[in-house]
Amino acid sequence: MTPDELRALCLEFGDATEEFPFGPETSVFKVAGKLFALSALDSEPLKVNLKCDPDEAVRLREEHPAIAPGYHMNKRHWNTVTVGELPAPTVRELVEDSYDLVVAGLPKAVRLRLDRP
């Protein structure tokens, strides 16, 4: 998966935006103002921080060397994923899971607007 493909994936979800609060080199993808993905898209190798259920995070780290505790994030709830070392469908699933976790914490009215009750 290329940086452009990762950006497009993150932006295809409802109400997703890309912001640069940490400078022009770090893309922060949010839904309804809440972070669900963070990446320096020009980094080599390409990595992305994604929110994850704590139990699932531990399992994923054990199964995939390309998934590590979230760099500069709460390591219980965030993973850093080396994108090129995982199949694109797996990366897509991890991004979608991150988005869904963040949406699940939003008020019901916002979730319904996003069509993710």
Side-chain angles (χ1 to χ4, degrees):
M1 181 176 285
T2 68
D4 288 338
E5 291 169 332
L6 179 60
R7 172 183 277 125
L9 170 62
C10 290
L11 291 174
E12 77 181 29
F13 298 102
D15 203 33
T17 60
E18 181 180 20
E19 300 177 11
F20 301 91
F22 306 118
E25 66 282 344
T26 305
S27 293
V28 175
F29 298 95
K30 295 182 176 184
V31 56
K34 302 288 185 181
L35 170 72
F36 73 91
L38 178 136
S39 179
L41 293 172
D42 60 352
S43 67
E44 191 58 44
L46 178 60
K47 295 182 180 187
V48 62
N49 284 357
L50 299 168
K51 191 164 183 128
C52 191
D53 172 79
D55 294 330
E56 182 73 1
V58 171
R59 184 187 67 76
L60 288 167
R61 293 172 197 160
E62 290 172 352
E63 290 179 8
H64 303 282
I67 300 177
Y71 181 72
H72 283 301
M73 306 293 275
N74 179 329
K75 289 161 182 24
R76 179 167 154 73
H77 296 277
W78 290 86
N79 281 334
T80 297
V81 176
T82 304
V83 175
E85 294 181 20
L86 292 172
T90 302
V91 174
R92 170 176 278 286
E93 182 179 329
L94 294 170
V95 172
E96 185 170 359
D97 288 349
S98 180
Y99 175 87
D100 287 342
L101 272 172
V102 172
V103 168
L106 296 172
K108 185 176 183 179
V110 177
R111 290 194 316 265
L112 291 173
R113 181 176 55 81
L114 295 171
D115 196 28
R116 296 213 182 237

